[in-house]
Amino acid sequence: MSDETTGKAGKTWFYVVVVFAVFILLYTLSIGPAIVLRERRVISDDAVETIYAPLGWIMQKSGTSEWSIPYVRAWLNMTGTSDPLATP
């Protein structure tokens, strides 16, 4: 194989990995806006639960769910949406 062919394949894999990583990052970070939309009744509870079930499962199994509460609360505060976890 020529170096030119190998170089193109390497670039293709690089772009595939970058696109996949960006997708995972955006999916993870979109939980905040999704919760805001759910609390404002723009999207249903079922839709949020279905779309983010894999993320919830991964966070539960890996023990990384602690970061999501402050992150979601920041989104709720920034948008002026009531916090469903806040104590009255």
Side-chain angles (χ1 to χ4, degrees):
M1 245 189 228
S2 71
D3 289 335
E4 185 177 318
T5 305
T6 306
K8 287 182 182 179
K11 287 181 183 178
T12 300
W13 277 109
F14 173 76
Y15 292 132
V16 168
V17 169
V18 167
V19 167
F20 183 72
V22 168
F23 172 77
I24 296 297
L25 180 66
L26 292 177
Y27 171 69
T28 303
L29 293 177
S30 68
I31 188 74
I35 297 296
V36 169
L37 293 174
R38 185 192 73 185
E39 289 303 311
R40 291 183 173 193
R41 303 285 184 232
V42 175
I43 56 178
S44 70
D45 292 342
D46 292 338
V48 173
E49 289 177 14
T50 301
I51 293 168
Y52 292 99
L55 182 61
W57 182 81
I58 290 169
M59 289 186 337
Q60 183 181 25
K61 294 295 181 184
S62 65
T64 58
S65 59
E66 307 87 44
W67 73 268
S68 64
I69 293 171
Y71 177 72
V72 168
R73 283 191 168 156
W75 269 97
L76 292 168
N77 289 335
M78 284 189 307
T79 59
T81 306
S82 62
D83 187 345
L85 299 177
T87 56

